Amino acid sequence: MSGDEQRVEALAGTVEQLRRDLDLAQQSADARALIGIATGILVERGHGGPMESFRHLEELAQAARLPLLELAADIVNGAAGDDVAAAAPVATAAARQVVAPEQSAPGEVLRMRTAEAGSLTGDAQAVVDSMLDQALAPLGAKAAALWAAIPGGALVLAAHAGFVHGEAQRWHYVPPGVGTLAQRAVADRRPLWFGDLPTDVPGIGQRRGTTGARAVLPAEVSGRVMGVLEVCWPHTQPPLSGMAARQLDALADLCAHTLPGSEAALAEPRTPDNPAGPLVELADSLLDPTMVLRPVLDDRDQVTDFTISYANERFSDIAGRARSTLIGMRLLEAYPLTAREGGLYEYVLRVHATGEAFHAERMALSALVGEVPLTSVAAVGIGRYGDSVLLTWRLEDEATRLAALLQHAQRLGRIGGFEENVVSGEITWNSQLFALFGLPQGSSPVPLERLHHHAHPDDAVAIGRFLRAVLYHRHAASTAVRLQRADGVVRHIRIVAEPVTGPDGALLAVRGAYQDVSAQHWTEVALAATRDRLADSEQRVAERNRLALQLQQAIMPPTSAPVDLADLRVAVRYRPAEEGHLVGGDWYDAVLLPTKKVLLVVGDVAGHGIEAATGMVVLRNALRGLAATGSGPAQLLGWLNTVAHHLTEHVTATAVCGVYDPETRVLRWARAGHPPPVLVRDGEASALPLPRGLLLGAVPDAEYEEHRLPLELGDRLFMYTDGLIERRDRSVEHSLQQLLPIAGQSTRDLGEHLDLLLTHSRSDTDDDTCLIGVQVG
């Protein structure tokens, strides 16, 4: 069997199980109704009140050894003389499965009917007392509280039983926002079960005897939450069975009828001529488009939709339909898209359940027009009146949207508009302009001709030119002034105005705007000062970089062709950093010593700029002088470390130093924290093993290890700085392994070999690169 077929079968099984549960629930409801009718008949025949009559009915059933439903059916049939109880055998079978076995006394049905009879008195305290004694105690409960819900989220303790002295007085009134379990049930509109009472939630009964399990159930009448029934157990326990849970739901609904406002919830404020009652007059008196909504209830008194029972004359449908078309339709039928999560229907349902009004300045409303969703924005208000809901919305038209946009733009731009009627002398300012001038809203606007009294004296000439251009030459003009307000604040204001003339060219009015540009003015002042300082700094930096570059180029002039030293051919390449200001401290040297040996050096001073360049000059010249002593490379690096540490300003550097003897063709070399040279022999490239040696200038005294490398005819040796191989995302060792295949490629000319290495270098640090190549013979 395929996966789809298994899912279909599972879905079919679930549907069948739900159908059986629904049948049993319906049969149970029918059984309760039949017993209620029989109890009423006994009340009429003088057997006392509903409670006494029901007990008499049970005693009769026990004496006759008949199931309670069969006896109730006989009584109803005998009183009615018809076949009303024809379904009694079916109902009896259902009662044996759902309600209670025949031998159980008193069963769930007895407890339910006893509690229901108590609710007929209308006394909430009597109902709770009877309910705890007759229905809740057999379930193990020790206390119960009945809360009345007040619009706004508050609760009032309407009745209680089983709590210790003083507990009810402490919790007589619960303000909004406390977050008790009862307030949660009102907000969620569903029963809540706690196997163990949460210790972090405030509420009634958090003392010995009532700190165990707890059930909190909304008490509803016609879909409206009138209050909450809170039942307490002394110990923790697992969730109740389905039958017991349904019994608690029914008891909560019974309690709802004893709470204030339940009669209004059940009342019908409609008449055949006036389907929505007084709300029609209220809706007609409102200036906004308004609808009156009546709840649609199912057989369990749950709200499934709302009927549009009335719409006033100002109502405007977002889909363009006439209001006569909408009256009588269901809300979800007329506006199905409002059922989306967070949509209008959710808020209507919440207001109807809690009585708490809802307002939104901007809400998206959607409707289907020819299967195409049309969305509009509206201001929405929802309120509950009796059992009905009053829904108002005002669609946002183009003019309203543009006016709001203009108002926000003026506020954000610190702009105030004005119009001055030259003929009548009337001046109109908007609210933003009063704020710019620092004047109260009710004060008199300032005429243009008196503007100079509110400005800095030095701006009088600019104001005069501005007024002549607008008032006499009839041209649009603008100017900037320093406004001196009465509160002592000085603002930089820009004024823009244009004349309004009649057909004959006569000046009728002047309209324009003031804009506060103080922030822009001071920003420009700060930018100008910063720009001057930056230009000065850039000039100094450029001078330093130019000096460093000249110094570097003087020490390492570009070499276009290889040179011969003894039996070595030496070629060098230097590639500066791409960014000109990053002048580095890389250097190389290849010189024939007085001992007829060749000194080969590559070094890299840390840092950039003039400090690195001068440090490079010091080390390079010092090493040339030290090499004249004829000492080996390890000794030379030791002396050079002393120079770097003691005779420079915190200079550190790496270097490779080699001394080549042409007679023996042996290269003695040492390193100070530098990458190893690469030897190419017979087309195979390899990195030389690294001798020990710290970078120069790190410690006062350092020792360096010296290696010997015999060279052969045709060997090529490459010494370089880390700018050739260094990458941000890889180690130096990994980058060196990528260099070796490139170095092993054969070229006839040594200079071309160096160019090949520079071209195919994979470095990404944009650092200087210094490369020296040596070919034997």
Side-chain angles (χ1 to χ4, degrees), residues 110 383 486 676 757:
L110 173 59
L757 291 176

Side-chain angles (χ1 to χ4, degrees), residues 8-25:
V8 170
E9 284 195 4
L11 180 60
T14 301
V15 172
E16 179 61 23
Q17 181 62 42
L18 291 174
R19 186 188 63 78
R20 289 196 296 268
D21 292 345
L22 184 61
D23 291 341
L24 291 177

